[in-house]
Amino acid sequence: MKKLFVILAFVGLGVAAHAQALNVSSAYEAQNRGYLKKAKGYIDQAAVNEQTKADPAMWFYRTLIYCKIGEAIKPESKHKEKAALQQMCPDWYRTAFESVLAWQQFDKDGEYTSKIRPFFGVIGDAYSNMAIDAQNVAHDYRLAMALEDTAIMMFNVFGDAAYTNNAYYIAGLAAANLQDFEMVKKYFQPLQKANYNEPKTAKQVYETLFSAHFQNHDTINAVKTAKAYVKNCPNDYHADILLATAYALNGNMDKSLETINGALAKVQDSPKDKAEVLCKVANMYEMSNLYDSAEVRYKESLTILPSQYQANFGLASIFFNRAADKIAAADAVPLEDESGL
């Protein structure tokens, strides 16, 4: 994910002392001079002061100050107050989150809307990064989903779909790790609706969502997901494979074979991918009981990658199953039969 940073250039609002209560003015001046520890002290007092706790400007500055603290305590930061701020504000993002919610409550006229929006992104990024750690380090998938819920809320206000989609993706992976198919749908369906087509992650999103629908015996939405994958990623042969699988699971083998051969047309310039798709085509022929056609495709795949597992196993399975059919047919012949059958 690309990094978010607090943008300070637009914050020079020229707050005059006579226009604000003393603590708000002092907080603004302190943060403007880089004294974030002092700024925190002043703005925290203003947040509980009867004269200023309903002032949207105060909540805007509190959000600003805490987001600047978040920047100051990052590992790469060399801020002069870094150590003290780390000890004082390890959960700066929580206070910043509370502050933007309070700002939304009190800024009825939207005076600070455009100025505070970037900070929603900064806060969302903090929660999303914690979600990644919860998933990859602590393997606490429930926590990862909860953190991404907050990130999604923040990114929706921030207004950059790329960040929102990434948060949905991370949360969906956490749900998949828990085999929680309802939560998979909660997080991945918005991506499908948004015509998700990220090259590195689209396959995982659509295949996981397809599986979630299929596990719930929802073949209609499973097919819709596969069709959406084809529509949104028209050059991805995995999309055709998924749609062919959907048709096959619904018993429409003619459409399945038509679609899987469409995937084959997309991989003619990649021997490795072509070998893989040939095996998928062969498998569809097997499901249609077209064993001779399946054998041809498996053998064609083996001419490209002779030592591969999939085609060798597929070809062996055809011979094995044919042998089993012959044994079954032989067992069915009456002992008194003298025809030679």
Side-chain angles (χ1 to χ4, degrees), residues 26 36 58 66 82 111 115 121 130 151 159 161 261 285 300:
S26 298
L36 297 180
M58 187 279 297
Y66 272 89
K82 179 178 179 179
E111 180 181 357
K115 301 177 183 68
M130 288 188 295
N261 279 297
Y285 279 126
E300 185 179 353

Side-chain angles (χ1 to χ4, degrees), residues 174-188:
N177 280 318
L178 290 170
Q179 293 291 292
D180 189 332
F181 300 117
E182 288 304 312
M183 296 303 287
V184 166
K185 289 189 287 184
K186 173 187 173 181
Y187 294 118
F188 281 173

Side-chain angles (χ1 to χ4, degrees), residues 125-141 143-144 147-148 170:
D125 195 47
Y127 275 90
S128 190
N129 288 334
M130 288 188 295
I132 293 171
D133 287 341
Q135 177 163 243
N136 296 340
V137 180
H139 305 298
D140 188 339
Y141 304 118
L143 176 59
L147 290 167
E148 287 296 2
I170 295 166

